[in-house]
Amino acid sequence: MKEHLAVASERHASERHILVVAHTGRADSLAASIEVCKQLIAGGLTPVLSADEREAIMAASPDLQPTALLGDDVEIGDLELVIVLGGDGTILRAAEIARGCSAPLLGVNLGHVGFLAESEREELAETVTRALARDYLVEERMTLAVRIKVDAKVIFETWALNEATVEKASRERMLEVVIEVDGRPLSSFGCDGVVMSTPTGSTVGRPRRCRSKSSSYSRAA
């Protein structure tokens, strides 16, 4: 009995779980997600999917087996990597899903705007091959903690991978803003809004793509 438990424990520890996140409402993204799942299965892994995406993928490819359901078959903390297929919106959604676990995000750009992606559609097969081989480095990314207070009472809290904005509700009036660093006033001015961006949120230049071993996959810190 003890030997049986030891073997089962060893097998569980050796299992690898890669989550595939895609915009399955788009035909190109759906096709790419099926392609990635098939490549992962061929590599000996069981791709992990969310409930909605699993339903869409299985409807388009009923013979795709095996797959695992996130939250039922595999917990978020057991993920090794998250492969994201789509544009920046899909990558931000994946960051929300994976927040709180140590799994890095690998974005493959299928959208019109792909500033957060590390790879392009034509590199998809090579990217998955490198993911299977763990042939990558992880780049930590800064995030923002956002807290809204009214009369010292916190009424809302969230976080942001790329940027957070303070905007005016009325078009006729300007905001009067005071910016502080570590509780010390830095500047005050009137404006239509303020954008607070992380290095990830800057769109001045695109992040490096996944082309060599020195390339990086992103993990929200």
XYZ file of all heavy atoms in Angstrom, residues 63-103:
289
model
N -12.719 15.333 -31.131
C -11.793 14.231 -30.898
C -10.549 14.652 -30.123
O -9.649 13.827 -29.903
C -11.364 13.600 -32.233
C -12.545 13.000 -32.994
O -13.491 12.551 -32.313
O -12.513 12.989 -34.234
N -10.486 15.918 -29.715
C -9.313 16.410 -28.996
C -9.314 15.862 -27.575
O -10.110 16.280 -26.735
C -9.323 17.940 -28.973
C -8.083 18.601 -28.370
C -6.860 18.346 -29.253
C -8.303 20.103 -28.210
N -8.420 14.934 -27.293
C -8.328 14.290 -25.984
C -6.869 13.946 -25.692
O -6.121 13.624 -26.618
C -9.187 13.021 -25.941
C -10.678 13.252 -26.023
C -11.255 13.919 -24.785
O -10.622 13.945 -23.725
N -12.446 14.470 -24.905
N -6.471 14.007 -24.408
C -7.257 14.455 -23.250
C -7.098 15.947 -23.013
O -6.150 16.572 -23.496
C -6.608 13.666 -22.111
C -5.164 13.578 -22.515
C -5.164 13.460 -24.014
N -8.029 16.532 -22.268
C -7.914 17.906 -21.796
C -8.291 17.932 -20.317
O -9.004 17.060 -19.840
C -8.829 18.861 -22.578
O -10.199 18.463 -22.411
C -8.479 18.891 -24.059
N -7.821 18.951 -19.607
C -8.126 19.090 -18.185
C -8.857 20.399 -17.953
O -8.615 21.396 -18.653
C -6.847 19.040 -17.355
N -9.751 20.408 -16.989
C -10.561 21.590 -16.693
C -9.950 22.349 -15.520
O -9.726 21.794 -14.442
C -11.986 21.171 -16.359
C -12.996 22.297 -16.112
C -13.151 23.155 -17.359
C -14.340 21.717 -15.698
N -9.679 23.617 -15.744
C -9.108 24.458 -14.698
C -10.105 24.618 -13.557
O -11.267 24.939 -13.754
C -8.761 25.841 -15.269
C -8.101 26.821 -14.291
C -6.739 26.310 -13.858
C -7.980 28.203 -14.920
N -9.627 24.376 -12.338
C -10.469 24.506 -11.168
C -11.088 23.202 -10.720
O -11.400 23.039 -9.533
N -11.267 22.250 -11.665
C -11.794 20.928 -11.317
C -10.686 19.876 -11.347
O -10.419 19.210 -10.358
C -12.918 20.528 -12.277
C -14.212 21.278 -12.000
O -14.260 22.019 -11.004
O -15.173 21.103 -12.780
N -10.054 19.743 -12.510
C -8.990 18.747 -12.664
C -7.632 19.286 -12.212
O -6.796 18.526 -11.720
C -8.895 18.296 -14.125
C -10.213 17.747 -14.642
O -10.887 17.027 -13.884
O -10.568 18.045 -15.802
N -7.426 20.572 -12.426
C -6.137 21.200 -12.103
C -6.397 22.520 -11.396
O -7.189 23.336 -11.867
C -5.301 21.455 -13.387
C -4.006 22.185 -13.052
C -5.004 20.140 -14.102
N -5.723 22.732 -10.270
C -5.845 23.991 -9.547
C -4.916 25.036 -10.147
O -3.896 24.707 -10.756
C -5.516 23.788 -8.062
C -6.473 22.866 -7.336
C -7.899 23.394 -7.344
O -8.075 24.626 -7.294
O -8.838 22.573 -7.395
N -5.263 26.299 -9.960
C -4.488 27.396 -10.531
C -3.043 27.362 -10.042
O -2.101 27.683 -10.783
C -5.149 28.762 -10.217
C -4.504 29.875 -11.043
C -5.097 29.064 -8.734
C -4.895 29.885 -12.466
N -2.827 26.948 -8.795
C -1.482 26.914 -8.241
C -0.603 25.820 -8.801
O 0.607 25.826 -8.563
N -1.193 24.865 -9.554
C -0.429 23.760 -10.125
C 0.048 24.051 -11.545
O 0.697 23.197 -12.164
C -1.269 22.481 -10.137
C -1.586 21.990 -8.732
O -0.747 22.190 -7.838
O -2.686 21.431 -8.537
N -0.264 25.239 -12.067
C 0.120 25.567 -13.439
C 1.613 25.853 -13.546
O 2.202 26.527 -12.698
C -0.668 26.785 -13.932
C -2.182 26.627 -14.052
C -2.822 27.942 -14.459
C -2.536 25.516 -15.055
N 2.199 25.350 -14.608
C 3.607 25.624 -14.907
C 3.753 26.849 -15.801
O 4.709 27.628 -15.659
C 4.220 24.410 -15.605
C 5.617 24.613 -16.144
C 6.104 23.432 -16.964
O 5.833 22.279 -16.573
O 6.760 23.661 -17.989
N 2.817 27.019 -16.713
C 2.905 28.067 -17.728
C 1.510 28.355 -18.253
O 0.644 27.479 -18.247
C 3.819 27.605 -18.878
C 4.064 28.550 -20.052
C 4.906 29.743 -19.594
C 4.761 27.826 -21.196
N 1.295 29.595 -18.700
C 0.037 29.969 -19.345
C 0.359 30.450 -20.750
O 1.070 31.445 -20.927
C -0.700 31.082 -18.567
C -2.026 31.422 -19.260
C -0.945 30.673 -17.126
N -0.128 29.737 -21.756
C 0.044 30.157 -23.150
C -1.196 30.934 -23.553
O -2.311 30.422 -23.480
C 0.251 28.946 -24.078
C 1.548 28.213 -23.705
C 0.300 29.394 -25.535
C 1.808 26.969 -24.547
N -0.994 32.176 -23.986
C -2.105 33.075 -24.294
C -2.109 33.368 -25.792
O -1.105 33.826 -26.347
C -1.993 34.397 -23.513
C -3.281 35.187 -23.634
C -1.658 34.142 -22.050
N -3.243 33.118 -26.440
C -3.377 33.299 -27.882
C -4.365 34.424 -28.147
O -5.553 34.285 -27.895
C -3.855 31.997 -28.528
C -3.040 30.749 -28.185
C -3.742 29.494 -28.674
C -1.646 30.841 -28.777
N -3.870 35.551 -28.636
C -4.756 36.682 -28.898
C -4.010 37.989 -28.835
O -2.778 38.042 -28.942
N -4.765 39.068 -28.623
C -4.174 40.389 -28.502
C -3.951 40.769 -27.057
O -4.004 39.935 -26.151
N -3.732 42.057 -26.838
C -3.432 42.533 -25.488
C -4.583 42.293 -24.521
O -4.365 41.998 -23.342
C -3.096 44.025 -25.531
C -1.707 44.271 -26.097
O -0.977 43.289 -26.333
O -1.346 45.447 -26.309
N -5.820 42.398 -25.003
C -6.972 42.176 -24.133
C -7.004 40.758 -23.589
O -7.299 40.533 -22.407
N -6.684 39.780 -24.428
C -6.662 38.387 -23.997
C -5.520 38.145 -23.012
O -5.668 37.398 -22.040
C -6.511 37.447 -25.207
O -7.527 37.757 -26.171
C -6.655 35.990 -24.801
N -4.384 38.795 -23.240
C -3.247 38.645 -22.326
C -3.580 39.236 -20.964
O -3.258 38.654 -19.918
C -1.989 39.303 -22.928
C -1.548 38.531 -24.179
C -0.856 39.341 -21.909
C -0.375 39.144 -24.910
N -4.248 40.377 -20.942
C -4.640 40.981 -19.666
C -5.656 40.098 -18.939
O -5.622 39.983 -17.704
C -5.210 42.380 -19.904
C -4.207 43.425 -20.394
C -4.919 44.725 -20.736
C -3.127 43.679 -19.351
N -6.549 39.454 -19.683
C -7.518 38.535 -19.065
C -6.792 37.322 -18.476
O -7.114 36.866 -17.374
C -8.552 38.088 -20.104
C -9.573 37.091 -19.570
C -10.729 36.925 -20.529
N -10.328 36.385 -21.812
C -10.233 35.075 -22.072
N -10.502 34.189 -21.125
N -9.882 34.658 -23.266
N -5.791 36.826 -19.196
C -5.021 35.691 -18.693
C -4.234 36.069 -17.445
O -4.094 35.260 -16.522
C -4.069 35.183 -19.779
N -3.728 37.294 -17.409
C -3.001 37.757 -16.225
C -3.923 37.785 -15.014
O -3.507 37.460 -13.896
C -2.414 39.147 -16.477
N -5.174 38.142 -15.227
C -6.152 38.141 -14.143
C -6.421 36.711 -13.668
O -6.530 36.452 -12.465
C -7.448 38.802 -14.612
C -8.510 38.921 -13.537
C -8.137 39.900 -12.438
O -7.512 40.935 -12.746
O -8.467 39.610 -11.263
N -6.523 35.774 -14.607
C -6.770 34.373 -14.255
C -5.597 33.812 -13.448
O -5.787 33.119 -12.448
C -6.986 33.524 -15.526
C -8.278 33.940 -16.244
C -7.031 32.027 -15.183
C -8.477 33.281 -17.592
N -4.385 34.122 -13.890
C -3.193 33.519 -13.293
C -2.650 34.301 -12.105
O -1.688 33.861 -11.482
C -2.102 33.390 -14.356
N -3.249 35.422 -11.794
C -2.738 36.222 -10.686
C -2.779 35.416 -9.378
O -3.761 34.757 -9.070
C -3.562 37.498 -10.526
C -2.929 38.442 -9.510
C -3.784 39.669 -9.300
N -3.130 40.568 -8.365
C -3.751 41.228 -7.402
N -5.048 41.087 -7.252
N -3.091 42.025 -6.604
N -1.719 35.486 -8.637
C -1.662 34.769 -7.378
C -0.934 33.444 -7.462
O -0.652 32.823 -6.440
N -0.613 32.996 -8.690
C 0.196 31.786 -8.827
C 1.524 32.169 -9.476
O 1.706 33.292 -9.944
C -0.518 30.710 -9.641
S -0.559 30.992 -11.418
N 2.455 31.233 -9.511
C 3.805 31.543 -9.996
C 3.982 31.281 -11.486
O 5.075 31.462 -12.022
C 4.838 30.724 -9.215
O 4.605 29.334 -9.378
N 2.925 30.858 -12.176
C 3.051 30.521 -13.594
C 3.284 31.767 -14.444
O 2.532 32.737 -14.347
C 1.790 29.803 -14.075
